[in-house]
Amino acid sequence: MRKLILLALVGLGAQLVDGSLGMAYGVTSTTLLLAIGTNPAAASATVHLAEIGTTLVSGAAHWRFGNVDWKVVWKIGIPGAIGAFAGATFLSSLSTETAAPLMSLILLALGLYILIRFTAVGLPKGNLGKPLRKRFLSPLGVVAGFVDSTGGGGWGPVGTPAILASGRLEPRKTIGSIDTSEFLVAVAASIGFIVGIGSEGVNFAWVVALLLGGIIAAPIAAWLVRHIPPRVLGSAVGGIIILTNTRTLLRSDWIDAPDSVRYPVYAVIYVVWAAALAYSVRRYLANREEERRIIAEAEAAATAAEPDQKTAAPAI
């Protein structure tokens, strides 16, 4: 029972972050399941089954708060589902000994990307309002979906920063659209894992615990996305992912580092992480008025150019 409560709290916290930042539910939850010894394919399958419910609720909440661009959802979500199915069947074919360190490497790379991207660069907005093309979103969806299945998370860490980096879609709509399209990815990945491993190793009580925590957090996160600075949250989440997966790799059979190596590495990560958080906070405080002005101008331009997307029918 204690483990189920912990998993529900993890699901709640992960969804709060994911719904506010557009990433990290899968990465955070999968990292925890790997840490307690879950088979990598089963861990990713468990998380994706839970995500079917959390992404559905999260998408509905984001739509309710006007955070969704339906054109982006369909253009990236359908290719993402294809990539997710392929990634799930690929991971299911690997042995646990091979898959666990490989997944940690993928998660570590995603954590580094998140930390560096949000700390050093922030959120470029110079092209806000320009359309996102299918030739950009389709390959991005395939890659993000594949990484999401094989890494137990990655749809948000790959898709959200890439769209934000384009500077063409305001942060709240980027986050809302990525969260909404992830429903298609979660369904496709779950089908892929069922085909690959069946229900072997999947603890459905854990699925329900993660799901309940995520469902509670989803509408709160959709509201918070308007108020929490993504730059600061991105630095925080990136550091957690880096620390946890570095620990997994250093303890794996690939490296099996002694305590005299592991603890100095952890100390360096803590110092760099603290410095990154402090820098992100300073930069956000220094630029928040300008960021708000740019976003407000982009919202006004989008409202004038298109009908209200909260009432518009989804279209590809």
Side-chain angles (χ1 to χ4, degrees):
M1 178 60 69
R2 183 179 300 175
K3 185 174 288 186
L4 291 178
I5 293 173
L6 174 62
L7 285 168
L9 291 173
V10 168
L12 188 149
Q15 184 59 45
L16 277 175
V17 174
D18 187 273
S20 303
L21 185 61
M23 65 181 73
Y25 181 90
V27 176
T28 304
S29 302
T30 304
T31 294
L32 172 71
L33 292 177
L34 287 177
I36 61 178
T38 307
N39 173 283
S44 190
T46 299
V47 170
H48 282 92
L49 283 168
E51 281 186 320
I52 292 175
T54 59
T55 54
L56 182 62
V57 175
S58 180
H62 277 297
W63 169 75
R64 173 66 180 81
F65 285 102
N67 298 335
V68 178
D69 185 321
W70 286 106
K71 292 180 181 179
V72 172
V73 168
W74 298 113
K75 286 178 182 178
I76 195 172
I78 293 174
I82 295 170
F85 181 84
T89 53
F90 170 75
L91 182 62
S92 299
S93 68
L94 297 179
S95 68
T96 300
E97 292 76 15
T98 301
L102 177 62
M103 184 180 287
S104 289
L105 276 174
I106 294 172
L107 293 171
L108 178 60
L110 291 172
L112 285 167
Y113 183 78
I114 293 169
L115 182 70
I116 294 170
R117 182 72 186 80
F118 281 86
T119 302
V121 182
L123 302 171
K125 306 178 186 71
N127 293 317
L128 275 177
K130 296 181 180 178
L132 283 160
R133 303 296 184 188
K134 190 173 182 179
R135 61 175 177 267
F136 167 70
L137 292 174
S138 293
L140 175 63
V142 172
V143 172
F146 186 88
V147 171
D148 187 82
S149 290
T150 55
W155 179 251
V158 175
T160 300
I163 294 177
L164 288 175
S166 73
R168 291 173 179 250
L169 191 65
E170 60 185 287
R172 71 179 182 89
K173 287 194 175 180
T174 298
I175 292 166
S177 300
I178 286 291
D179 264 20
T180 303
S181 60
E182 193 171 9
F183 172 76
L184 301 174
V185 174
V187 170
S190 298
I191 294 172
F193 283 118
I194 290 172
V195 170
I197 64 173
S199 60
E200 180 184 355
V202 178
N203 188 320
F204 287 96
W206 293 5
V207 173
V208 172
L210 288 170
L211 174 61
L212 289 176
I215 286 175
I216 293 170
I220 301 171
W223 178 80
L224 285 175
V225 74
R226 294 174 175 267
H227 304 285
I228 295 181
R231 183 170 196 159
V232 176
L233 199 53
S235 297
V237 171
I240 293 172
I241 296 168
I242 291 168
L243 181 65
T244 307
N245 289 285
T246 297
R247 179 178 178 275
T248 300
L249 282 171
L250 292 178
R251 289 172 173 266
S252 71
D253 292 339
W254 285 12
I255 301 176
D256 193 21
D259 291 348
S260 59
V261 173
R262 292 204 310 267
Y263 290 116
V265 171
Y266 300 156
V268 170
I269 292 173
Y270 276 120
V271 170
V272 173
W273 185 16
L277 276 171
Y279 181 80
S280 290
V281 170
R282 287 199 305 269
R283 297 306 302 163
Y284 167 71
L285 292 175
N287 299 320
R288 60 182 171 180
E289 294 303 325
E290 181 183 359
E291 288 190 0
R292 288 174 181 172
R293 177 184 59 78
I294 294 173
I295 292 173
E297 290 175 354
E299 286 183 339
T303 301
E306 298 180 2
D308 189 354
Q309 292 198 34
K310 289 189 291 184
T311 57
I316 299 178

